[in-house]
Amino acid sequence: MEPVLAILIGVLVAVAVWLMLSRNFVRLLLGFAMLGNAVNLSIFVAGRLTRAAPPLIADGAVAFEGAYANPLPQALVLTAIVIGFGLLAFALVLAWQAHVRLGTVLTDEMRIAEPLPEKKEPAS
Amino acid sequence: MNGWLAGLAVLIPLAGAAVTLLAHGLPRAQTVLSLLFAAALLLDASLLMAAVWRDGMVVVQASAWDAPFGISLAVDTLGAVMTLIAAITGLACLAYATAEIDEGHRRAFFHPLSHVLLAGVCGSFVTGDLFNLYVWFEVLLIASFGLLVIGGTRAQTDGAVKYVALNLVATSLFLLATGLIYGLTGTLNMADLSRAVPRVENTGVLNAAAMLLLAAFGMKAAVFPLFFWLPASYHTPLVAVSAVFAGLLTKVGVYALIRTVTLIFTHDPEWINGVLLWTAGLTMLTGVLGAAAQNEWRRILSFHIVSQIGYMVMGLAIGTKLAIVGSVFYLVHHIVVKANLFLIAGVAQRLTGSMELKRSGGLYEAAPWLAILFFIPAFSLAGFPPLSGFWAKFIVIKAALDERSIAIAAAALVTGLLTIYSMTKIWGEAFWKPHPAGPVEETGAPRAMVVPIAALAACTIVIGLFAQPFLAVAERTAAELTDPSAYAAAVLGRLP
């Protein structure tokens, strides 16, 4: 199972990087969303995969017996998903604001905060 | 008792955020409550500092889950110092903001967001868990997003796009590195990691994870070549917001660098320190050269943040005890000075009408007191004795020369010289030159703006003139940082 997931993560990261290299802010955000999924999957795999062994302690027992699934990566991934969702929601609203106020979502054309130096008048 | 002090460093600002949110409909009450909570945080941070100084490291195991299974809060001297300085800066900037923000800014949740930001910053300084550090980073990040766009000018939207984009990348890298490190070691507790990392056999993956983490923190700290978001955005928001950002946010990145390099990635110091040393030198030079090309108050100062970060990373990269003393001293000095310079830029804008140096001037005649208040942090930044920046630069460069790192020492000295150039440029343009639109009226500034500036300037003078106690703190911090086994023992207790 790990090799399949590793390849999937690799593909997701590759697609995400390609999207994030774009000058279009919206594409960058789509790339961020994909990268987030790839990272979450990698945390999931990092916790090692097990089959059909839920992390539940049997009735009457005080500790795990035998192999069991690692519950921690799920907690980490859940936290990361929530945070990623919050960040993405903000960023999408920002992209929309950029479209409304600046009239563009292309980062190359956003030169209001950092204006290009004024061109000197050519001597006639 | 000491444990509560560490917990309260996070709980007070979080409570502050909740209470100021509830008081949203009552403008005066909200402002007063906001300042009260900031003052309470300062009190708590002072007590925490005193407790750490007296009794050694403060460790709390959340919900009594023993380390490394639960989340540990672990405050050593570095954590306590940073919390204290963050509380001072937070209070000063909030006080300044009471005179700066209008009803619209207040309605955009300025006060709750500021407290969430402080919670994130203090949380990063007190936590002893890598994933918890990630969570606090996100807390301060999302609050900083909100604060950055308060006011909603077009320049702010523009700056925010760049700021958000690069920080989203840094966040993803941080999380990926955390996952890899967890996969390699099976733990996320930083004390446990300091023992587990040297035992990892797969050093290739470990170094990849270390590089990802350094890249993520480097982006937060704005080191070369990852700093472009900073000068693109820091000159756009409210002055009080940019002062908090300038003082604290990049320094959280530097703190995380210091913490992980000294505590966790001790397995291959030559390699990591080599990377950091190049980064430090290039950061200093590119930052200061960038500043020399700028003609706007806050843009000059923004580039100087970048160049000054170089000095702190340089101390860390040299890695001797003296160098780390210099790094820590620099960190403390820089937060106070840089936040103050941004606040002064705000007052200057108020008096002259512009932050553009071309459309500014005549301040020396109109407000000689502001000239004095500017002179102190500006020339401390450039490293003039006897101000605090002199000692900070002196120690870092001395440490470099002791190690025969001539090139980096030379880079540091050149950067210091060019810093003077930028500061004299502001002095000449904004203070000496007559204002292009006629003399500036002597209107004065609100007391709420002048008092924080004067208080921070007083801090700079005290650190400079009475450097010995501050050096003692920095020395103890360096002693702790160069001996990670003591940190591990304090957090893990009896565990082998």
Side-chain angles (χ1 to χ4, degrees):
Chain A
M1 200 55 193
E2 276 94 343
V4 179
L5 279 173
I7 291 168
L8 175 64
I9 292 166
V11 171
L12 280 175
V13 170
V15 174
V17 169
W18 183 72
L19 281 171
M20 291 175 105
L21 290 175
S22 166
R23 282 169 295 174
N24 186 328
F25 188 55
V26 180
R27 286 172 73 115
L28 184 140
L29 294 181
L30 292 175
F32 167 71
M34 296 200 78
L35 187 61
N37 286 331
V39 170
N40 288 341
L41 272 177
S42 75
I43 295 177
F44 189 62
V45 178
R48 308 295 188 275
L49 302 175
T50 42
R51 261 171 174 275
L56 297 172
I57 299 173
D59 275 345
V62 291
F64 289 116
E65 286 163 15
Y68 65 95
N70 186 350
L72 187 68
Q74 301 174 27
L76 301 183
V77 168
L78 186 63
T79 314
I81 289 175
V82 173
I83 290 173
F85 176 77
L87 293 178
L88 191 63
F90 179 91
L92 283 172
V93 174
L94 185 66
W96 178 61
Q97 284 292 313
H99 174 65
V100 171
R101 286 165 194 237
L102 310 178
T104 180
V105 287
L106 300 179
T107 44
D108 279 7
E109 293 174 10
M110 299 181 189
R111 308 272 348 173
I112 294 143
E114 294 177 286
L116 295 166
E118 290 160 32
K119 285 202 185 108
K120 295 216 172 84
E121 292 290 317
S124 51
Chain B
M1 179 58 210
N2 288 356
W4 274 106
L5 292 175
L8 281 174
V10 181
L11 293 176
I12 290 173
L14 280 181
V19 170
T20 48
L21 193 60
L22 288 174
H24 195 60
L26 311 162
R28 288 191 66 90
Q30 191 191 33
T31 308
V32 172
L33 282 169
S34 178
L35 289 177
L36 272 180
F37 272 91
L41 178 64
L42 179 56
L43 177 67
D44 175 69
S46 315
L47 292 174
L48 180 65
M49 180 69 226
V52 169
W53 188 251
R54 196 178 54 233
D55 306 333
M57 217 171 132
V58 173
V59 179
V60 189
Q61 313 293 0
S63 308
W65 280 85
D66 276 340
F69 302 109
I71 292 172
S72 308
L73 299 186
V75 191
D76 60 357
T77 316
L78 177 63
V81 168
M82 296 302 291
T83 313
L84 179 59
I85 209 84
I88 293 173
T89 315
L91 180 61
C93 293
L94 275 173
Y96 181 95
T98 56
E100 188 196 9
I101 63 171
D102 62 21
E103 181 62 12
H105 301 138
R106 197 191 64 78
R107 290 221 153 265
F109 302 104
F110 173 82
H111 288 290
L113 284 171
S114 302
H115 284 276
V116 174
L117 183 83
L118 283 177
V121 171
C122 293
S124 307
F125 294 150
V126 300
T127 188
D129 185 282
L130 197 59
F131 193 80
N132 199 231
L133 181 66
Y134 165 74
V135 173
W136 290 122
F137 261 73
E138 298 313 304
V139 169
L140 74 86
L141 195 60
I142 199 87
S144 72
F145 286 177
L147 285 170
L148 192 62
V149 295
I150 286 183
T153 64
R154 295 177 75 215
Q156 276 176 300
T157 311
D158 183 351
V161 167
K162 279 87 180 233
Y163 180 87
V164 168
L166 270 159
N167 275 296
L168 290 181
V169 177
T171 294
S172 304
L173 295 184
F174 186 2
L175 191 60
L176 182 59
T178 312
L180 286 176
I181 290 168
Y182 177 68
L184 285 169
T185 60
T187 182
L188 287 169
N189 184 300
M190 291 202 261
D192 203 24
L193 278 173
S194 81
R195 288 181 183 178
V197 162
R199 288 201 290 261
V200 171
E201 284 168 13
N202 193 346
T203 49
V205 181
L206 183 65
N207 281 341
M211 266 300 104
L212 281 173
L213 212 52
L214 292 194
F217 293 154
M219 249 185 231
K220 295 294 308 173
V223 298
F224 179 87
L226 309 165
F227 63 80
F228 298 101
W229 57 271
L230 193 151
S233 59
Y234 270 28
H235 61 293
T236 60
L238 296 171
V239 171
V241 170
S242 65
V244 175
F245 283 17
L248 296 179
L249 292 197
T250 44
K251 262 55 78 180
V252 178
V254 176
Y255 166 84
L257 274 178
I258 294 179
R259 180 65 79 209
T260 44
V261 169
T262 57
L263 184 64
I264 301 176
F265 299 116
T266 49
H267 60 288
D268 192 358
E270 273 188 23
W271 183 70
I272 286 183
N273 287 353
V275 173
L276 285 177
L277 201 61
W278 274 100
T279 313
L282 290 169
T283 306
M284 285 190 280
L285 290 173
T286 47
V288 83
L289 289 175
Q294 300 302 323
N295 283 304
E296 203 249 352
W297 268 89
R298 283 199 285 179
R299 297 208 64 189
I300 295 176
L301 295 176
S302 298
F303 272 102
H304 275 296
I305 300 177
V306 176
S307 82
Q308 308 281 314
I309 294 289
Y311 285 96
M312 301 168 211
V313 177
M314 169 183 159
L316 175 65
I318 296 167
T320 58
K321 204 167 151 187
L322 184 67
I324 298 201
V325 170
S327 253
V328 173
F329 197 91
Y330 214 106
L331 209 51
V332 171
H333 137 76
H334 178 79
I335 292 177
V336 174
V337 163
K338 189 54 84 176
N340 202 8
L341 281 171
F342 271 81
L343 295 182
I344 292 167
V347 175
Q349 181 192 32
R350 217 181 155 87
L351 295 178
T352 64
S354 178
M355 293 237 190
E356 290 288 342
L357 292 180
K358 270 184 201 153
R359 281 180 268 139
S360 178
L363 271 175
Y364 189 75
E365 229 172 340
W369 51 271
L370 188 69
I372 295 169
L373 288 177
F374 170 75
F375 188 87
I376 294 166
F379 286 85
S380 175
L381 188 78
F384 273 53
L387 296 161
S388 59
F390 168 71
W391 301 110
K393 281 197 172 61
F394 176 76
I395 301 167
V396 181
I397 294 172
K398 169 94 167 52
L401 291 176
D402 284 353
E403 290 298 299
R404 305 244 171 278
S405 309
I406 307 297
I408 194 77
L413 287 169
V414 169
T415 306
L417 271 176
L418 289 171
T419 309
I420 301 173
Y421 167 70
S422 284
M423 291 303 127
T424 44
K425 180 163 75 183
I426 296 183
W427 182 262
E429 291 280 323
F431 287 90
W432 268 0
K433 177 190 81 182
H435 196 283
V440 179
E441 283 178 46
E442 296 176 44
T443 44
R447 200 178 302 156
M449 289 187 166
V450 179
V451 170
I453 292 175
L456 290 178
C459 285
T460 307
I461 295 181
V462 168
I463 296 175
L465 289 183
F466 306 97
Q468 197 54 46
F470 296 92
L471 274 177
V473 174
E475 273 172 7
R476 182 154 137 189
T477 309
E480 286 175 2
L481 290 176
T482 43
D483 179 22
S485 60
Y487 182 99
V491 175
L492 297 173
R494 286 165 286 107
L495 282 175

